[in-house]
Amino acid sequence: MTASNRPRDESRIRLDSTAHLMDSISSQRPGPPALVLVAHGSRDPRALHTVRALMERVRRLRPAVPVRVGHIELNEPLLPDALAALGTAPAVLVPLLLTHGHHVKRDIPEAVAAAAPHVRVAAPLGPHPLLVDTLYARLVAAGWRTRTTEATRRGSGVVLAAAGSRDPGSAVDTRRTAGLLADRLGVPVVPAYASAATPTVPAALSALAAGGRHRIAVASCFTAPGRFATQCAEQAPWIASAPLGAHPAMARLVLHRYDQALTPATTEPELASA
């Protein structure tokens, strides 16, 4: 090797060594925590299909984040099995639930405490403006007119049909979602429940009709198709929207809750005045 070639070769060796070191550091850097969607579970096969579609949409929005699912009941993998599969890897559980009910307050935290202390639990999906965006889009798709006369609005109303819970906090959240949707639509929105709480959907429909509202839609506040969603839709005197499903706003909301859990804030600014 000539003296003129030696500095060039040494420089190449140093560059190769630096690149190898950077690759090694990069490969050892931990990736983002996994995002585990916590679905309720259903005997209706459409529910599982919906959850999988939402998972795929979330993956497309955030390719670097591993996305998995665990069910509270009825479908596999069940949440304890999903937690066991994580090993010691960090993760964030995002409940596909719309209020702070029993599953969010008790079942999910207890499962985490028993099996996976390295896992964080995000807030449920509701109430939130992105949830209202989805409810609004589903109503419009079902036939709700975005432009109406004042007389039509005075005769219109919406029943927000939800699953229901014996936990009073759940009803508070549903009422807040109903209020946000009412602001968006410009008509009264009455929350109603398929089980465990009142008013029922028929009672809410009757209350709106007694107030002179005869053009009443049912907004389906369910994450996926199932028995309760079908039952509530069948009670609609006019139109009923589809469940929330894998709407793009729902995928963004899932990732918002994931990010919140990693960098928690004390207050949701967009809900401070709700």
Side-chain angles (χ1 to χ4, degrees):
M1 180 183 295
T2 65
S4 61
N5 288 335
R6 188 177 299 114
R8 185 181 303 167
D9 292 341
E10 290 175 351
S11 176
R12 184 182 298 111
I13 291 170
R14 286 196 299 272
L15 287 172
D16 290 344
S17 297
T18 301
H20 178 74
L21 177 61
M22 294 302 294
D23 287 343
S24 177
I25 292 172
S26 178
S27 65
Q28 295 174 11
R29 186 180 298 126
L35 189 163
V36 181
L37 298 172
V38 183
H40 184 278
S42 172
R43 292 184 177 87
D44 190 321
R46 296 174 298 170
L48 186 56
H49 175 79
T50 300
V51 171
R52 288 172 175 166
L54 181 59
M55 286 176 64
E56 289 306 313
R57 193 177 285 279
V58 171
R59 285 180 177 133
R60 289 196 296 271
L61 288 176
R62 198 77 63 88
V65 175
V67 183
R68 303 177 183 179
V69 66
H71 296 90
I72 295 171
E73 60 181 6
L74 299 174
N75 296 123
E76 295 182 348
L78 293 173
L79 182 56
D81 297 328
L83 292 174
L86 290 170
T88 59
V92 175
L93 305 188
V94 179
L96 294 184
L97 302 167
L98 306 177
T99 65
H100 290 81
H102 182 81
H103 292 312
V104 170
K105 292 180 178 179
R106 295 283 301 276
D107 294 341
I108 296 174
E110 286 176 1
V112 169
H118 52 286
V119 169
R120 301 186 187 195
V121 181
L125 300 183
H128 194 275
L130 285 169
L131 176 60
V132 175
D133 286 349
T134 309
L135 288 165
Y136 179 81
R138 295 300 191 206
L139 279 171
V140 171
W144 184 270
R145 297 188 185 95
T146 56
R147 295 183 180 181
T148 60
T149 65
E150 181 60 30
T152 300
R153 279 195 298 273
R154 285 198 301 269
S156 301
V158 172
V159 170
L160 182 68
S165 170
R166 291 183 177 85
D167 190 303
S170 178
V172 170
D173 288 343
T174 303
R175 285 196 296 271
R176 293 179 76 188
T177 298
L180 291 170
L181 183 59
D183 291 342
R184 183 72 175 271
L185 295 172
V187 302
V189 177
V190 178
Y193 307 97
S195 70
T198 56
T200 63
V201 170
L205 291 169
S206 296
L208 281 169
R213 307 281 172 169
H214 301 294
R215 183 174 173 268
I216 307 171
V218 171
S220 183
C221 198
F222 300 93
T223 54
R227 179 168 63 90
F228 284 160
T230 300
Q231 170 187 310
C232 291
E234 289 173 347
Q235 294 167 338
W238 177 40
I239 60 172
S241 64
L244 303 163
H247 190 275
M250 293 298 287
R252 295 198 301 274
L253 179 51
V254 165
L255 286 169
H256 173 68
R257 291 305 193 207
Y258 170 85
D259 293 336
Q260 264 191 325
L262 293 175
T263 55
T266 55
T267 306
E268 281 269 32
E270 60 268 48
L271 288 178
S273 61

